[in-house]
Amino acid sequence: MSGRPPCSPRAAWLEEAGASPASRPQPQPYEETEVQPLQAPSGSGVGPSASAVAHQEEEDALSFLRACCSRRPKREAQKLRFLASVCDACQAAVADPHTWDAVYFCQLEVAQSIEALLQEEPSDRLDTEVRQKAMLAIAAMSTARLLPPAMTNGLLRACFRGVFHLPGHEDGTDMDTSLYVRTVEALDSLLQALVSSAGACGLLELQNIVKLLLPFTQQQPEAVEERAMARIAGLAAFLNTCSLPQVSSCFAGATVLRHHHPEKHRFALLGRLVGYLLLCCTCESEGKSHEAAKAVRHLCLFVTQQRSTRLCDQDAEQLQGWQSWRAHLSLQLSEDSNSNRMFMIFMKYLQPSERLGVFLAAVQSMRAPSPHSTELAAHMVDVLAAETDFHSGQVLHIVWAIYRSLPSVRAALALQSLDRALLLLASKCPRETVASLLQCSLTCTSVAVTMWRAMVSEPPATERVLRELLCILMNQSGCKTSTSTKDHPRILALAAARPLHEILLLPTSRGEAKAIFPQLFLALLFQVSFTTELKLQEVQVFWEKHRQDLLTPVRSTVQALKALLRSVGLESQVLAIEAQGGWAALLSAESHLWGVQVVAREMKELPRSLRATIIHQLVELLRTEASSWQTVAMVILSKLLECTELGDELDCVVSLFASYLQSPCLGMQSLVLRAILGLTKRPATVRQTLVLLPSITEQLQAADSDTCAVALPVLSTMLQLLEGRTLSLAALELAGKLPALFGDDSSTVRLLSIRLFLDTLGFVKGSQEKLQQVAHRSLLPLSLHLHDQDESVAEASREALLGVARFLRWRQLAHLAETLQSWKIVECLLARRSSAAEEYLAQSLPYLQSLQEPLRREAVRFTGLVGRHLLDQHQSKSQDICQVLQGLANDPCKSVSSLAIQTVLILQAPRPRSRFSFRQLCSRLQKAWRRRRSSPAGS
């Protein structure tokens, strides 16, 4: 407003107040003006002398108004004159923009002065007209749109306190009675003026007034409650006579798709107000109940009037019928004050959003001590729960209201009604009801337990609730950590285990739990894995209001799992798991997988049909879900596959294994291979696993030692079941991958791979050229492992080397391997295949870093031989070999470091002019090695 001239604030204020264009004064041209004496309208018939008198009176009123704003009046005459000046100035401001501007710039001070005068009035007597005149002044300011919105509520509270708490006037004098009546009438006029002057926002203003009145109708002296209720009844009657804008068909502003109404057209308070007034009709105070009944009748007529108005453009005949019926209804309401019947009339017209308000009012009135009829409140709750389809947001409000009110409800009739309402909600909208109650109490307090028991008091509802809890438990898999709201799926999944435990303890839930046992069993085991990964802030969500509760989410889940097993008659399995320490293991992040194995192992005793259902469920989950509990699912599946009785579910499992053999999840390949290994040990199932042989072979080179240790026996068993060309091709492919495992850190892997390699040589038929290439590549690793520290590996290497030599028909090599002349074997390799020297060199270099001292020592010796052999042809290659060997000068084993240094010196020594044969080089290196072994360092 800083950019407007002094004459413009009035127009700006009107725009903010939502005044209609017709009622707004036209903005004046931009000019600086001063407050001028008021001029009478032309043609008024007032002579010059009368006009001068009027100007002087208005100037005096404004001057006195300004003076009182700076210094508030103290005496009664001054107060009355000040209030009269306010009324006069506001009346003049309606027609004169200059006066309006003059009052506008001091409106806040005027309103504050009026509020102060109201507060100064004594509350125990009524002997002056100050209250009456103050309310008239407020009404005049509102009519002139000069009442500051921020001051409205404060002024109304001051008026209500000043009028409602006055002593009764029945025994007073005629003047006192007359003054009281005029004061009350002034208050009613004020309220109506506030609503009327709000224009299009009149409905919002009325709801604001009612909200301010409602506290005076509760827990107050009887006279105060009656007077406040009478004002509400008067406003309800005023609704049927004033010209308010058309109220939206949603009344309370419920959010409906494709249906939007401005906030100012919504009667958001209607439902709660109707419910509260209906209950007040049953209170013991006759005056209050009478006024409440009047308000109810007026509201009923208002609702039906709104309905008939909406039909005006649709069907004239139907509108006429509505009007006739409304007249009949008005007569009926005036003769009947039965609250139950009036409630049923409202039920025909209230939308679900209004019905929600009635429901909440009825629930709140059940709290003890209640001045209202418990029978009526229970009847309202029963009817609304049975006949209304609430949406999710409304269900949340209902559940919260019951949760907050239940500890204070004492009447058996009210408790039974709330139980029936919860049962109906759980039957009609289980998803919304279950999620709402979880949000109300994440830790499942005693109040929440009572509500859960009510929701599962009948079998159909029990099954629905259990299935919804199951869905919530499984819904955490794809959710990231978040604690921003309590309705986050991850948080709700953590909270679901506690009520599940309470429900499973009930005898009535056993049949329903058995029907969905496989799904619940898996969901709870997955939840154990999930809760071991909790973040600190997530656990704090449960303890922020219940720090004395030491039952952590993982303990809740374990308890629920125990209760589930007991509910389906598996008490012996519960005890067996306890004896093995399985329950305790589930509580620890380090041991929970072992605990899962213990639990799954005991499930092998289940009937075959139940096991098959669990297996099918696991397969479906592993096919469709990508979650953190895949490992848990695979552990359970592998244990259940140990059962001897497997049917068509095995085919589903085998097809699943093919994809999970390529899983990047840590430890997953090993789990799958162990399950396959178990299947290969049983004649009834081994052949069904043969389709996995190519997948297992493909994963060998990238697998870790643990995985290879399981995969190699599986491959060995599978090869023995193949025949003909299939066997030959599979063996040839596998033979090409096995030499890479000869140098594995695990002695088990080395032993199994060497033995399996020897077996593959006998399985290959044809393709001799390819197999010979593979056999030649295995010679050096096998010769080096003749010195393996593990005797079984060394013996397997000798046998494999002998087998390869015989396959290659290499008699000299076979003789050396049979007589174990390891030194001559490497000389034989270089002498027979000198062209493969570089290939041998590449194979020997990794062994220089072996963890075994003998292998490093043999690798140094062989590298030196190859380096001398390549000296004539590749001088640069020989230098590279020396550089590599120099890196072993600091080897922790002195024999290795000394041999490496001596080998480097020999390779770098000047060459004699005479021809130096390869055999002479071998002889010199052999002598150096013997001297080293005989020296103290060598020992």
Side-chain angles (χ1 to χ4, degrees):
M1 293 179 60
S2 60
R4 296 180 181 225
C7 59
S8 300
R10 180 169 186 257
W13 190 92
L14 289 174
E15 292 173 3
E16 293 176 357
S20 60
S23 63
R24 297 175 184 168
Q26 295 298 323
Q28 303 298 316
Y30 189 94
E31 59 181 359
E32 297 292 338
T33 62
E34 298 179 356
V35 177
Q36 301 295 331
L38 298 177
Q39 302 292 334
S42 60
S44 62
V46 180
S49 59
S51 175
V53 172
H55 294 332
Q56 185 62 40
E57 289 178 354
E58 291 179 0
E59 287 182 358
D60 291 343
L62 290 173
S63 300
F64 187 74
L65 196 65
R66 297 189 188 97
C68 290
C69 289
S70 59
R71 185 175 182 181
R72 292 170 186 168
K74 299 296 183 182
R75 291 179 295 179
E76 181 181 349
Q78 291 178 334
K79 295 178 180 179
L80 294 176
R81 182 184 173 187
F82 165 70
L83 296 172
S85 300
V86 174
C87 292
D88 294 341
C90 290
Q91 290 173 1
V94 173
D96 182 38
H98 298 290
T99 305
W100 193 94
D101 290 341
V103 180
Y104 173 81
F105 285 110
C106 61
Q107 60 174 332
L108 182 59
E109 292 79 2
V110 173
Q112 291 174 343
S113 299
I114 296 175
E115 184 177 8
L117 294 180
L118 287 169
Q119 293 172 348
E120 291 172 0
E121 286 296 294
S123 60
D124 57 346
R125 66 183 187 276
L126 180 63
D127 50 11
T128 69
E129 295 183 345
V130 173
R131 284 193 183 90
Q132 175 194 355
K133 299 301 182 182
M135 289 185 285
L136 292 176
I138 298 171
M141 293 183 69
S142 176
T143 302
R145 293 179 172 81
L146 286 168
L147 183 64
M151 294 290 299
T152 302
N153 288 354
L155 288 168
L156 284 176
R157 291 191 186 95
C159 293
F160 295 157
R161 285 192 294 266
V163 175
F164 296 159
H165 288 275
L166 288 173
H169 61 279
E170 292 79 4
D171 299 330
T173 64
D174 292 340
M175 183 173 294
D176 292 335
T177 302
S178 174
L179 181 58
Y180 174 81
V181 172
R182 293 198 308 273
T183 303
V184 172
E185 289 176 349
L187 177 58
D188 290 335
S189 299
L190 167 61
L191 299 181
Q192 294 178 12
L194 288 171
V195 175
S196 300
S197 62
C201 298
L203 194 58
L204 286 178
E205 185 62 40
L206 183 140
Q207 294 178 84
N208 178 63
I209 296 173
V210 172
K211 289 179 182 178
L212 296 175
L213 284 169
L214 285 176
F216 291 95
T217 66
Q218 308 170 48
Q219 301 179 352
Q220 299 289 335
E222 185 175 331
V224 174
E225 292 184 355
E226 180 181 347
R227 292 167 182 170
M229 188 61 72
R231 307 288 76 74
I232 295 177
L235 288 172
F238 184 65
L239 270 176
N240 292 303
T241 59
C242 67
S243 57
L244 289 177
Q246 178 69 31
V247 181
S248 75
S249 59
C250 294
F251 287 113
T255 302
V256 181
L257 293 178
R258 303 179 184 176
H259 196 81
H260 178 74
H261 294 280
E263 184 67 23
K264 60 187 177 183
H265 291 170
R266 296 175 182 171
F267 201 162
L269 193 61
L270 179 62
R272 280 185 176 270
L273 183 60
V274 168
Y276 177 69
L277 292 175
L278 285 170
L279 292 164
C280 287
C281 291
T282 65
C283 66
E284 297 179 355
S285 172
E286 291 184 5
K288 179 181 177 181
S289 63
H290 175 70
E291 296 295 341
K294 287 169 55 179
V296 168
R297 286 192 288 270
H298 291 309
L299 282 176
C300 188
L301 292 174
F302 169 74
V303 172
T304 56
Q305 172 65 28
Q306 293 294 322
R307 177 62 57 87
S308 62
T309 302
R310 286 195 299 275
L311 294 172
C312 180
D313 298 332
Q314 300 177 13
D315 190 336
E317 294 182 3
Q318 188 176 7
L319 174 61
Q320 185 177 0
W322 268 99
Q323 291 173 343
S324 175
W325 183 89
R326 185 172 180 271
H328 172 73
L329 176 64
S330 177
L331 179 62
Q332 180 184 356
L333 290 173
S334 63
E335 297 174 352
D336 188 359
S337 60
N338 184 278
S339 300
N340 282 333
R341 284 193 288 271
M342 286 192 288
F343 166 66
M344 296 308 297
I345 292 175
F346 271 106
M347 282 292 294
K348 297 178 182 179
Y349 305 107
L350 295 180
Q351 300 295 325
S353 51
E354 288 86 37
R355 294 185 179 190
L356 171 65
V358 178
F359 193 105
L360 298 179
V363 171
Q364 188 174 6
S365 71
M366 292 179 175
R367 298 179 180 180
S370 174
H372 308 133
S373 168
T374 302
E375 290 81 3
L376 176 60
H379 174 67
M380 293 165 66
V381 168
D382 288 339
V383 173
L384 288 166
E387 299 184 8
T388 307
D389 294 327
F390 296 107
H391 63 67
S392 58
Q394 294 169 342
V395 171
L396 178 60
H397 284 298
I398 291 173
V399 174
W400 265 114
I402 297 175
Y403 181 77
R404 293 190 179 107
S405 301
L406 194 58
S408 303
V409 178
R410 299 289 182 268
L413 184 62
L415 291 172
Q416 294 169 5
S417 175
L418 293 179
D419 287 349
R420 288 191 294 269
L422 287 170
L423 179 60
L424 281 171
L425 288 173
S427 300
K428 294 166 66 175
C429 42
R431 178 178 304 175
E432 294 80 4
T433 308
V434 168
S436 298
L437 187 49
L438 286 176
Q439 294 179 54
C440 291
S441 178
L442 294 174
T443 56
C444 198
T445 61
S446 58
V447 177
V449 170
T450 303
M451 296 174 67
W452 284 112
R453 290 174 179 172
M455 289 164 55
V456 297
S457 55
E458 293 184 3
T462 303
E463 183 179 357
R464 293 187 181 96
V465 170
L466 286 176
R467 289 190 179 278
E468 289 305 323
L469 287 172
L470 171 64
C471 291
I472 292 173
L473 282 172
M474 298 298 292
N475 198 29
Q476 52 79 19
S477 60
C479 299
K480 298 181 180 179
T481 303
S482 173
T483 57
S484 57
T485 57
K486 290 184 178 180
D487 62 346
H488 192 277
R490 187 174 171 102
I491 299 300
L492 293 183
L494 294 175
R498 293 197 179 192
L500 188 58
H501 172 243
E502 296 293 337
I503 294 172
L504 292 173
L505 293 178
L506 300 175
T508 56
S509 68
R510 292 175 180 173
E512 287 65 32
K514 186 174 294 186
I516 58 173
F517 169 76
Q519 295 91 333
L520 275 178
F521 170 74
L522 293 177
L524 288 171
L525 270 183
F526 296 157
Q527 182 80 339
V528 171
S529 176
F530 168 56
T531 50
T532 58
E533 304 170 358
L534 289 180
K535 307 298 182 182
L536 178 61
Q537 63 269 27
E538 291 177 309
V539 177
Q540 289 175 344
V541 171
F542 294 86
W543 287 347
E544 60 184 358
K545 294 184 179 179
H546 305 277
R547 294 187 181 275
Q548 73 280 5
D549 187 0
L550 300 180
L551 192 61
T552 59
V554 66
R555 291 184 181 275
S556 299
T557 306
V558 172
Q559 285 192 358
L561 187 55
K562 290 181 182 179
L564 175 64
L565 295 180
R566 290 191 175 104
S567 68
V568 296
L570 299 178
E571 178 68 30
S572 59
Q573 278 79 1
V574 174
L575 297 177
I577 295 170
E578 181 72 35
Q580 299 175 64
W583 300 124
L586 288 175
L587 301 177
S588 171
E590 291 76 17
S591 61
H592 83 278
L593 278 180
W594 181 79
V596 171
Q597 292 183 40
V598 174
V599 174
R601 189 183 305 123
E602 292 301 321
M603 294 303 104
K604 293 191 297 183
E605 305 301 324
L606 293 176
R608 182 184 179 280
S609 60
L610 200 55
R611 288 200 317 269
T613 303
I614 295 177
I615 291 175
H616 280 295
Q617 185 74 17
L618 284 168
V619 171
E620 290 301 318
L621 289 171
L622 287 169
R623 279 178 176 173
T624 58
E625 298 287 343
S627 62
S628 59
W629 41 257
Q630 282 181 338
T631 302
V632 177
M634 191 59 70
V635 168
I636 302 170
L637 181 59
S638 62
K639 287 299 175 184
L640 292 179
L641 290 177
E642 294 177 4
C643 300
T644 55
E645 299 178 2
L646 293 175
D648 57 349
E649 64 267 21
L650 184 58
D651 295 331
C652 302
V653 171
V654 170
S655 63
L656 180 72
F657 283 167
S659 61
Y660 272 86
L661 281 171
Q662 303 175 7
S663 172
C665 181
L666 182 64
M668 180 60 71
Q669 291 182 350
S670 180
L671 276 174
V672 174
L673 286 168
R674 290 181 190 280
I676 297 173
L677 179 61
L679 295 174
T680 59
K681 293 180 179 179
R682 300 203 298 271
T685 58
V686 62
R687 290 196 173 274
Q688 289 175 272
T689 64
L690 293 178
V691 295
L692 299 174
L693 191 147
S695 300
I696 300 174
T697 304
E698 185 66 27
Q699 299 300 318
L700 270 183
Q701 290 182 334
D704 55 26
S705 297
D706 292 338
T707 303
C708 291
V710 183
L712 291 171
V714 172
L715 292 170
S716 178
T717 303
M718 289 181 172
L719 285 178
Q720 296 173 13
L721 298 173
L722 297 177
E723 297 177 352
R725 180 172 176 78
T726 303
L727 172 62
S728 179
L729 292 176
L732 179 60
E733 182 180 0
L734 182 58
K737 297 180 181 296
L738 289 174
L741 302 179
F742 292 171
D744 195 272
D745 293 339
S746 170
S747 59
T748 301
V749 174
R750 297 197 300 272
L751 177 63
L752 293 175
S753 60
I754 292 172
R755 288 179 175 175
L756 183 57
F757 178 77
L758 180 59
D759 293 338
T760 58
L761 296 180
F763 293 147
V764 177
K765 304 299 181 183
S767 304
Q768 294 298 311
E769 183 178 351
K770 292 183 179 179
L771 186 58
Q772 286 179 3
Q773 295 176 0
V774 173
H776 280 297
R777 287 200 301 271
S778 69
L779 291 175
L780 180 62
L782 290 174
S783 64
L784 292 176
H785 280 285
L786 294 173
H787 304 274
D788 199 292
Q789 289 178 334
D790 190 307
E791 294 181 0
S792 58
V793 175
E795 178 60 24
S797 299
R798 188 189 69 81
E799 293 176 358
L801 188 60
L802 180 59
V804 172
R806 289 173 178 172
F807 170 76
L808 295 174
R809 299 178 182 180
W810 194 341
R811 295 181 181 180
Q812 181 184 7
L813 181 60
H815 173 73
L816 295 176
E818 192 171 6
T819 57
L820 202 58
Q821 300 181 50
S822 57
W823 172 253
K824 292 185 177 181
I825 289 176
V826 293
E827 294 181 13
C828 179
L829 295 180
L830 285 174
R832 175 75 175 265
R833 299 185 69 235
S834 59
S835 60
E838 292 191 30
E839 178 184 343
Y840 288 148
L841 177 63
Q843 287 182 309
S844 66
L845 290 179
Y847 283 91
L848 294 174
Q849 308 299 326
S850 173
L851 298 178
Q852 299 186 53
E853 174 191 337
L855 294 184
R856 295 200 305 276
R857 187 169 55 243
E858 292 303 318
V860 169
R861 292 174 55 199
F862 184 78
T863 303
L865 291 175
V866 175
R868 193 64 180 178
H869 179 75
L870 296 174
L871 191 60
D872 295 333
Q873 302 173 1
H874 303 283
Q875 184 69 27
S876 59
K877 182 68 69 174
S878 179
Q879 293 176 355
D880 293 339
I881 293 174
C882 291
Q883 186 175 359
V884 171
L885 292 176
Q886 285 173 350
L888 295 174
N890 297 322
D891 192 275
C893 177
K894 291 185 178 180
S895 61
V896 175
S897 60
S898 299
L899 182 60
I901 294 172
Q902 287 190 9
T903 303
V904 171
L905 293 176
I906 293 174
L907 292 175
Q908 292 179 342
R911 297 178 59 192
R913 294 180 181 272
S914 61
R915 182 175 181 84
F916 189 76
S917 67
F918 175 71
R919 183 172 298 277
Q920 290 174 332
L921 173 61
C922 293
S923 176
R924 290 183 58 183
L925 287 173
Q926 186 176 15
K927 291 179 180 178
W929 166 238
R930 288 174 178 172
R931 285 196 302 270
R932 176 52 52 191
R933 292 190 61 181
S934 62
S935 65
S939 63

